[in-house]
Amino acid sequence: MLAGAFPARRWRGGNRVQRQHWLRWHPEWWALLLCVLAWGWLLLAMRQTAPDWTGMMCSANATFGQWRWSVTAHQFVHWLVMTAAMMLPLLIMPIRHVAFRSLWQRRQRAIAAFLGGYLLVWLLAGFVLSVLLALDNVSDIGRPDARLPLLLFGVAAGWQIAPARLRALRICHRTVPLAPTGWQADMACLRYGWFIGRHCLQACWAMMLAAAFAPAHLLAMAGVSAICVAERYQPRLSARITAGLLLALGGLLALWQVR
């Protein structure tokens, strides 16, 4: 009995070492965990009759003060969760760069600073968008209309092949030197996150708007996320192919809207 217990103990210890080794070489694990939690939050919110973003925009006919307190906070939460669900899977390589170029004892801090700078860009973009739509008193953006997904994904497909977007997409793969210690290291990671987030916003704003305002909100998000991941990790996938996929997704959502 004792002889049989020792191999099991070594096996459990070996698994623990393997897990530690995997976590050491995959520091992006907790960012992907945040992505999974964000998708879970969105799935739990499926019971609503309209997507949070469009539904809240439709209720923006109240006074600006009421909108500011009752709409902005909810939209910010939804926009942040949506950004985390769709964008974090695209950051595996930048996160690994930040982690492996930082000292071991501060690598998680460096990743957090990088993600803070990255998400700050998207939060500012979401705030500006919500303010512009509220001031413009857009009250019918959430009404059922089969033309809406075709318009949104048509714009996204057109931007997909624009030279300015392709330049921004190439910049998203850049790396920068990082300071090793002190507040300079934190600021370097924060600036790097801001740098990547700014060009990621330039490359993906049209797809994010299409996913935010299209009907069948989660289906649109899932489709756009799949296209973004394929584009990021399959360099041979041409922009024309992804543009065609966006048009096909828009057509599918239009059929969903009229059924």
Side-chain angles (χ1 to χ4, degrees), residues 157-201:
W159 180 245
Q160 197 75 4
I161 58 177
R165 182 198 176 267
L166 297 178
R167 286 194 298 269
L169 187 63
R170 287 192 294 267
I171 295 175
C172 289
H173 295 273
R174 287 185 182 176
T175 59
V176 298
L178 301 174
T181 59
W183 65 268
Q184 296 92 341
D186 297 330
M187 291 303 299
C189 294
L190 187 67
R191 286 195 301 267
Y192 183 46
W194 176 270
F195 173 80
I196 295 295
R198 183 162 51 90
H199 290 92
C200 186
L201 175 64

Side-chain angles (χ1 to χ4, degrees), residues 95-104 106-107 110 175-180 185 189:
I95 289 175
R96 291 171 65 86
H97 169 73
V98 169
F100 295 147
R101 297 301 183 272
S102 301
L103 297 178
W104 174 262
R106 64 175 314 279
R107 60 161 39 185
T175 59
V176 298
L178 301 174
C189 294

Side-chain angles (χ1 to χ4, degrees), residues 10-74:
R10 287 197 300 269
W11 180 79
R12 289 194 296 268
N15 274 355
R16 184 170 60 252
V17 171
Q18 289 178 0
R19 286 194 298 269
Q20 293 174 352
H21 181 77
W22 189 90
L23 293 176
R24 183 179 297 113
W25 290 101
H26 295 84
E28 72 279 2
W29 68 268
W30 64 269
L32 297 180
L33 178 61
L34 289 178
C35 172
V36 173
L37 293 176
W39 279 107
W41 189 92
L42 293 169
L43 289 173
L44 290 177
M46 281 183 61
R47 298 178 182 178
Q48 298 184 1
T49 56
D52 287 350
W53 186 266
T54 57
M56 295 302 285
M57 284 302 174
C58 293
S59 64
N61 295 325
T63 64
F64 184 77
Q66 293 174 341
W67 171 85
R68 180 179 59 188
W69 295 108
S70 65
V71 178
T72 305
H74 197 176

